[in-house]
Amino acid sequence: MIKPDQRQLLHKYLLIELAVKSLQIDYQKTEQFKMKIVFLPLMDALLKDLRQEYFDLKRQLVHQKIRVIGWTNVDEYFSDVQIATAGNDVVLRYANQALKTQVEKLLINQIKGFDFDKVPKAIN
């Protein structure tokens, strides 16, 4: 059984995992931009921060004996996430559109609070 605080931690972990995957896919497309010298350093710094938070959350989940086994697309609207806990396995169902919206909000908030001084400067 997953406690409410563990579920909150797990939810944040899942959102960050999706954000990292989405940014990695978008990164490849950004490499084709004419102004890639502007966007790539920003995306690198953003990915670095998100990956750090991802690994910190994963460490916390492992400490609590919780791990994500896998994602399954139920249909175009829902996905199931299979979770292994010390007590038993749990399947959580998520609405795909809600996840997309929450990942977008996470990234917007991440960018709003971003320290642009740590973004590597473009070199000519």
Side-chain angles (χ1 to χ4, degrees), residues 2 5 15 17 19 22 32 35 40 43 45-47 51 54 61 70 74 78-79 84-85 89 94 108-109 113 120 122:
I2 298 178
D5 60 324
L15 291 179
E17 179 181 31
S22 296
Q32 307 305 315
M35 299 293 288
L40 290 179
M43 288 186 77
L46 185 57
L47 275 166
R51 283 186 186 121
Y54 171 83
L61 289 170
V74 176
F78 295 97
S79 295
T85 66
D89 290 355
Y94 287 95
I108 289 167
N109 289 334

Side-chain angles (χ1 to χ4, degrees), residues 9 13 51-61:
L9 186 70
Y13 169 81
R51 283 186 186 121
Q52 182 61 50
E53 191 169 356
Y54 171 83
F55 288 119
D56 290 344
L57 289 170
K58 187 171 186 170
R59 205 172 299 115
Q60 290 177 43
L61 289 170

Side-chain angles (χ1 to χ4, degrees), residues 1-11 61 64 66:
M1 174 150 175
I2 298 178
K3 298 175 188 170
D5 60 324
Q6 292 173 324
R7 187 164 179 152
Q8 217 171 12
L9 186 70
L10 179 63
H11 184 68
L61 289 170
Q64 296 181 30
I66 299 172

Side-chain angles (χ1 to χ4, degrees), residues 22-43:
S22 296
L23 283 175
Q24 288 172 333
I25 291 167
D26 290 349
Y27 191 92
Q28 294 171 347
K29 295 173 184 166
T30 306
E31 289 175 327
Q32 307 305 315
F33 287 5
K34 289 180 183 177
M35 299 293 288
K36 67 182 176 186
I37 198 164
V38 173
F39 295 104
L40 290 179
L42 176 61
M43 288 186 77

Side-chain angles (χ1 to χ4, degrees), residues 63-110:
H63 181 69
Q64 296 181 30
K65 296 181 173 79
I66 299 172
R67 64 187 170 95
V68 176
I69 296 175
W71 289 79
T72 306
N73 283 335
V74 176
D75 56 28
E76 63 183 287
Y77 303 107
F78 295 97
S79 295
D80 285 346
V81 181
Q82 189 173 6
I83 310 299
T85 66
N88 60 347
D89 290 355
V90 178
V91 175
L92 303 174
R93 180 158 289 179
Y94 287 95
N96 294 336
Q97 187 60 44
L99 285 173
K100 180 181 181 285
T101 302
Q102 291 174 5
V103 168
E104 288 171 347
K105 286 180 183 177
L106 174 103
L107 290 172
I108 289 167
N109 289 334
Q110 192 84 16

